[in-house]
């Protein structure tokens, strides 16, 4: 039994099934089109590694060892962002080359959100962090009350960030 299957649409025919034994899959895979090294790519976490796959064939493009449990993944046009409990790393989609790594604290909630220049993280302890993807530097930090605990990731609309804690939703506006 494969852990990862690629069914065809609209029929239930399986195009490929986990050709290299990746698994178990620990986060929702991320589909990226267009790909950097294949027509379309699939980024999959199996705990402490990220695998870049050709989405059409299942062939492995590269594998990146994060060396810790992966809590979140995000992909933009050029990079893959890997977040764990104490660190975040940016690697190139094309060559799997580590660009930077920074410390993070507080336990990731939801997935990271990324644009072509900013990455946003929300933590269980109520931290909302904006990072510059060029170098991993912090652009801004916002705190929200964390009692009884932040349990959901953030939502973004234009220049507004929405984060929830308990029965309250907090809205922030600005341009870092």
């Amino acid at each position: 039994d494969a852990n990862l299957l690629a069914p065809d649409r609209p029929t239930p025919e399986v195009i490929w099934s986990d050709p290299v034994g990746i698994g178990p899959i620990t986060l929702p895979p991320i589909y990226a089109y267009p790909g950097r090294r294949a027509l379309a790519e699939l980024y999959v976490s199996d705990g402490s590694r990220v695998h870049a796959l050709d989405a059409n064939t299942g062939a492995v493009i590269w594998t990146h060892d994060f060396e810790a449990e992966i809590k979140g993944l995000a992909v933009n046009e050029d990079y893959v962002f890997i977040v764990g409990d104490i660190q975040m790393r940016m690697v190139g989609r094309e060559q799997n080359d580590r660009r930077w790594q920074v410390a993070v604290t507080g336990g990731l909630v939801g997935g990271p959100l990324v644009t072509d220049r900013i990455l946003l993280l929300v933590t269980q302890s109520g931290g909302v962090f904006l990072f510059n993807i060029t170098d991993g530097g912090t652009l801004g930090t916002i705190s929200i009350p964390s009692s009884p605990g932040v349990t959901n990731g953030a939502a973004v609309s234009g220049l507004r960030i929405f984060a929830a804690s308990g029965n309250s939703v907090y809205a922030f506006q600005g341009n870092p």
Side-chain angles (χ1 to χ4, degrees), residues 49-108:
R49 297 178 301 172
V50 175
H51 306 275
L53 307 176
D54 181 320
N56 294 307
T57 67
V60 176
I61 298 169
W62 53 254
T63 296
H64 184 87
D65 188 358
F66 188 62
E67 302 159 355
E69 185 179 357
I70 298 169
K71 300 291 187 165
L73 285 176
V75 175
N76 73 3
E77 191 172 310
D78 298 310
Y79 303 104
V80 178
F81 300 86
I82 309 166
V83 182
D85 280 330
I86 61 170
Q87 65 185 352
M88 174 175 59
R89 184 178 298 163
M90 182 176 86
V91 297
R93 283 181 58 191
E94 200 164 316
Q95 299 298 323
N96 181 27
D97 52 329
R98 184 189 305 192
R99 299 300 178 98
W100 51 254
Q101 179 172 306
V102 296
V104 295
T105 58
L108 179 68

Side-chain angles (χ1 to χ4, degrees), residues 26-43:
T26 57
L27 293 170
I30 297 176
Y31 177 84
Y33 174 82
R36 300 297 282 180
R37 299 209 11 216
L39 179 62
E41 296 164 353
L42 193 64
Y43 295 88

Side-chain angles (χ1 to χ4, degrees), residues 151-163:
T151 57
N152 295 301
V156 177
S157 178
L159 297 178
R160 292 188 177 95
I161 298 170
F162 301 93

